[in-house]
Amino acid sequence: MFALRNTSMHNVKTFKQARNFRVEGTCLGSVNLKGRSFLTLKDFNPDEIKHILWMSADLKQRIKHEGQYLPLLQGKSIAMMFEKRSTRTRLSTETGFALLGGHPCFLTSRDIHLGVNESSKDTARVLSSLTDIVLARVYSHSTLEELNQEAYVPIINGLSDLYHPIQILADLLTLQEHYGYLTGLTVSYIGDGTNILHSLMMSLAKLGVNLRIATPKGYEPDATVTQEAMHLAKQFGTELHLFSEPMAAAQGSNVLVTDTWVSMGKEDEKTKRLKDFHGYQVTMQTGSVAAPDWTFLHSLPRKSEEVDDEVFYSPRSLVFPEAENRKWTIMGLIVCILTDYSPQIPKLKF
């Protein structure tokens, strides 16, 4: 029995070493994401991000538009751990995983108390032995890092205080579908320096997209993330500008983006935040200085103070296709991580 235990732990160690090796880059010049964790887009290069989007578009075309049944995840299961409530993240993952033939398992904070009833280390190891992949929606990004350190199955960030990368995959696919390309677009983010903004900052430059940011004083993005984003903009030859005035940020932009002003856990700051964000509501006046083809994105749920009805329900708003693409992109991501399937449709133009 001792020998069997040693063999088991050796296999775990070997798997983690292999997984960590793949994090550093693609495999022998081709995109190979199998076994990878997905904590932040910071860890993924342009070809890898494009491959995930291509995979997502392929599944959407074959399943939604052609009516094909693709049980690519048959026999596989996912543990979905949620410290924070969710609509789109839960439904997109749960229905998407099941649509591909797999079994999703939803765990709320009542079912699993990370670091309270059981340590994150023990939780990671137990879930690794019972499921093929874990999606965790947590308060602290450090929780994800600890889970990833101890697990020997891939971990997906379903949202943390620092990043929300699966939302950005949906945003990118939505823009690619609408414009037919991404390179050369300019995105203007107007609002709080949230995990949405941080994930945009870690990905847009890699796809040739310029980023203009407007945040009130005291609500700027994380300084370390900003420094890294500046480096990426220089590396990939894109523009990154930070403003304190929304109209300045919106100037000439193709895409206007905002996010919640009062994130979960910050409800006690609502009165102060509404005052501090006065003038940041996205309206048609904001769009008047944008590019003629400007569109609007919001990760939802939306409050009227963030964007008015005229914009939110207008033909320029892509928020509902964006919400649907949460499903196709999480499916595409998981298929990349768990299978050897290759997209059948022509490569997307970026």
Side-chain angles (χ1 to χ4, degrees), residues 169-189:
L169 291 178
D171 295 357
L172 292 171
L173 181 62
T174 303
L175 294 178
Q176 196 282 331
E177 289 175 337
H178 181 82
Y179 290 101
Y181 62 93
L182 293 175
T183 301
L185 291 177
T186 296
V187 170
S188 292
Y189 179 92

Side-chain angles (χ1 to χ4, degrees), residues 237-258:
T238 62
E239 296 181 6
L240 175 62
H241 301 288
L242 282 77
F243 303 90
S244 59
E245 293 295 330
M247 298 298 284
Q251 188 73 41
S253 180
N254 305 103
V255 187
L256 303 181
V257 186
T258 192

